Amino acid sequence: MKLSLIIAWLLSFPLGGHAQNVKNMKTSQTAETEIRNVIENYYFKGIYEGNTDILAKAFYKDALLFGDVNGVPYFKTAEQYIEGVGNRISPQKSGKDFKAEIISIDIMNSIAVAKLNVRMYDFNYYNFITFNHIDRQWMIVNKTLTNVQP
């Protein structure tokens, strides 16, 4: 009888609940750090410098881009987008202002969505970037964008 009461009492406590939360928190922090690295050191830097080698490292090869620029529909493959960045005068070389910021990052398992604001030339782009964790790295698999007039 005493043994049954002791077992029942021990089973009333959650097993490993706290340790699991700490592990998930570390994983999320690591994932967010990795995603921020891709955004800041490959995506933003590649756009600013016009460096297609750096920019291509951020994108999954079959990623797609959708949106509108001043009401005009926009659709490109990652390859077309990266090529376009390489064929224009970069914000760095133009000497014009470039301001890029991460507004938010939401992560769930192997997917994430980042909301970004990129101001360059006369554009005020809002981007929603979808990431997927592929082959142990976070890659952009989809980008949607719109230009918001101030």
Side-chain angles (χ1 to χ4, degrees):
M1 179 73 172
K2 285 183 185 180
L3 183 58
S4 297
L5 287 173
I6 292 172
I7 291 172
W9 180 75
L10 288 173
L11 291 176
S12 69
F13 293 100
L15 299 175
H18 179 68
Q20 185 65 34
N21 289 340
V22 171
K23 182 176 183 248
N24 284 344
M25 189 169 73
K26 283 184 181 177
T27 301
S28 294
Q29 287 175 343
T30 300
E32 182 172 338
T33 300
E34 291 171 359
I35 291 166
R36 283 183 180 278
N37 180 56
V38 172
I39 294 169
E40 293 169 353
N41 296 314
Y42 298 105
Y43 182 69
F44 287 162
K45 185 175 182 176
I47 293 169
Y48 175 67
E49 295 177 359
N51 187 326
T52 58
D53 292 332
I54 290 174
L55 186 59
K57 290 178 182 180
F59 282 89
Y60 179 68
K61 64 181 179 64
D62 294 324
L64 298 174
L65 294 79
F66 299 92
D68 68 86
V69 179
N70 300 331
V72 177
Y74 181 96
F75 169 78
K76 291 187 179 188
T77 64
E79 184 179 346
Q80 291 168 326
Y81 171 70
I82 293 165
E83 183 180 316
V85 168
N87 289 330
R88 68 162 194 231
I89 296 174
S90 71
Q92 181 183 40
K93 288 181 182 167
S94 74
K96 296 197 177 196
D97 288 340
F98 178 85
K99 183 180 180 207
E101 68 175 316
I102 299 170
I103 297 169
S104 65
I105 298 174
D106 291 320
I107 304 165
M108 190 173 294
N109 296 326
S110 67
I111 62 170
V113 176
K115 181 179 178 183
L116 314 174
N117 181 227
V118 178
R119 294 177 184 210
M120 57 187 228
Y121 304 115
D122 295 326
F123 297 99
N124 180 28
Y125 291 119
Y126 280 86
N127 298 187
F128 292 88
I129 307 287
T130 305
F131 287 86
N132 198 314
H133 198 248
I134 302 169
D135 296 329
R136 299 183 350 188
Q137 61 185 11
W138 289 96
M139 302 191 79
I140 297 171
V141 295
N142 180 263
K143 172 182 168 179
T144 53
L145 67 129
T146 191
N147 179 47
V148 176
Q149 296 297 323

